[in-house]
Amino acid sequence: MFSYRHAFHAGNHADVLKHTVLIATLQYLLQKEAALTVLDTHAGAGLYRLDGDYASKSGEAADGILRLAQESELAPVLQAYLAMVRSFNQGTQLRNYPGSPFIIQSLLRVQERDKLKVFELHPTDMRALTGNIAQLQAGRQVAVLHEDGFEGVKKFLPPPSRRALLLCDPSYELKSDYAKVLDMVADSLKRFATGTYAVWYPIIPRPEAHDLPRRLKTMATKAGKSWLNAELTVKSNKTSERGGLPASGMFLINPPYNLKEQLKPAMPQMVQLLGQDENAAFTLESGG
Ligand code: SAM
């Protein structure tokens, strides 16, 4: 079984990028009245403790969300992200960190009948996720599936409301995950060409990781779809032997038209606040 536990990484720089983009994307999609279906292919536990054993051991949140929390003048999308995390905490100290299922659910609308389907394979995280989601008392709005997310999404596309956001956030513990992401996005685009697809990926010295955004770009371009790619580097990958991910990216197909503009002031601020050495940098590209 996999050894990856997101609890060690909750609130790190990769979560800051991923969840900031996720919130901005959802806020845009939720401006329309028609129901939205959100598919979260790799859910994790849903809610994490920043003062618990896992997070304290890794210390990753200290170099992520906790750095942001000390800044008073944040770009609007970062403000929205920090406000989201604060909404799961009482007082000023951040002890709880919402994972993607909790972030998404908190934004969904009951009246419009928005739906969330989350997939998790690991038995421990699945147990935690089921318990955490039950506390939300969200009823039929949220379905938790103990299934392979790469395969499981197929049955939900196209969604009845013809509006969907798919977040794909694997741990990439298995080399085969890279190819599975590409196959899943290609298949999903065939099933539902107008959905918004958001893929998180690590930027590490590994050919499959390097190729992933390039291949997604080719796929989007060939399908005549717009795309956006945001990458955040916090340190040199040469120093990563000391541990910790140096960089990551979010690739979106059919992104909100205003997402790039919204990320423009936020990306340099992420570099400034989360950068760990002189290699800290960002890229923000779009096309289609
Ligand atoms: N999306 C979460 C968030 O932003 O809070 C974090 C997800 S974590 C990076 C990846 C999760 O995927 C892990 O909890 C892992 O157990 C789970 N996982 C791994 N392979 C899976 C698969 N094929 N289908 C569903 N879940 C899987």
Side-chain angles (χ1 to χ4, degrees):
M1 199 57 205
F2 310 114
S3 59
Y4 181 93
R5 303 270 60 77
H6 195 66
F8 287 108
H9 311 288
N12 71 359
H13 64 87
D15 266 6
V16 173
L17 173 68
K18 173 183 29 182
H19 294 153
T20 298
V21 171
L22 174 65
I23 293 165
T25 301
L26 266 173
Q27 284 180 333
Y28 172 79
L29 292 173
L30 292 169
Q31 283 171 13
K32 271 203 183 153
E33 262 179 36
L36 182 73
T37 296
V38 185
L39 305 172
D40 188 352
T41 61
H42 294 70
L47 194 63
Y48 305 94
R49 294 290 302 194
L50 293 179
D51 56 358
D53 288 348
Y54 290 109
S56 307
K57 203 167 164 189
S58 73
E60 290 190 27
D63 286 332
I65 176 72
L66 298 179
R67 288 197 188 185
L68 237 70
Q70 287 160 15
E71 177 65 32
S72 54
E73 292 198 12
L74 290 170
V77 287
L78 288 171
Q79 267 175 39
Y81 163 68
L82 184 59
M84 168 66 70
V85 178
R86 285 206 187 285
S87 73
F88 288 91
N89 289 275
Q90 284 168 351
T92 49
Q93 206 184 336
L94 298 181
R95 295 174 200 277
N96 303 313
Y97 187 85
S100 52
F102 267 55
I103 290 175
I104 297 164
Q105 194 279 333
S106 74
L107 292 170
L108 294 190
R109 305 155 306 177
V110 175
Q111 217 150 12
E112 279 75 5
R113 297 172 191 246
D114 297 328
K115 293 276 186 281
L116 170 60
K117 318 283 181 196
V118 301
F119 300 85
E120 175 55 51
L121 261 191
H122 197 284
T124 311
D125 280 350
M126 180 62 193
R127 253 193 313 279
L129 178 64
T130 309
N132 286 331
I133 295 279
Q135 307 254 345
L136 292 173
Q137 300 191 320
R140 292 172 63 184
Q141 186 184 53
V142 183
V144 181
L145 298 108
H146 192 189
E147 289 176 27
D148 178 354
F150 291 122
E151 287 297 316
V153 290
K154 292 181 178 171
K155 57 179 169 288
F156 296 113
L157 294 173
S161 63
R162 302 268 154 183
R163 297 186 69 235
L165 167 66
L166 181 151
L167 171 68
C168 183
D169 178 27
S171 48
Y172 297 94
E173 256 187 295
L174 302 174
K175 207 166 81 172
S176 54
D177 275 0
Y178 295 94
K180 284 187 181 178
V181 168
L182 290 164
D183 288 348
M184 186 274 294
V185 175
D187 178 76
S188 299
L189 274 173
K190 278 192 202 128
R191 289 171 192 272
F192 186 48
T194 55
T196 296
Y197 298 94
V199 174
W200 178 88
Y201 59 93
I203 302 176
I204 48 176
R206 179 171 208 165
E208 297 82 7
H210 184 257
D211 280 353
L212 185 63
R214 198 174 52 75
R215 289 182 178 221
L216 285 168
K217 207 178 292 180
T218 305
M219 193 188 293
T221 309
K222 277 194 180 153
K225 300 290 164 196
S226 58
W227 58 268
L228 179 147
N229 190 28
E231 294 187 341
L232 174 66
T233 300
V234 297
K235 61 182 176 182
S236 155
N237 64 24
K238 305 268 176 347
T239 57
S240 65
E241 293 103 52
R242 280 199 274 120
L245 181 70
S248 70
M250 274 289 269
F251 193 99
L252 284 88
I253 297 179
N254 294 328
Y257 83 95
N258 63 352
L259 185 60
K260 192 175 185 184
E261 277 311 305
Q262 290 195 305
L263 290 176
K264 270 184 189 168
M267 297 301 301
Q269 204 168 26
M270 285 189 228
V271 171
Q272 180 211 328
L273 294 171
L274 307 179
Q276 297 178 29
D277 68 24
E278 67 285 357
N279 294 285
F282 75 93
T283 61
L284 182 59
E285 296 178 296
S286 62

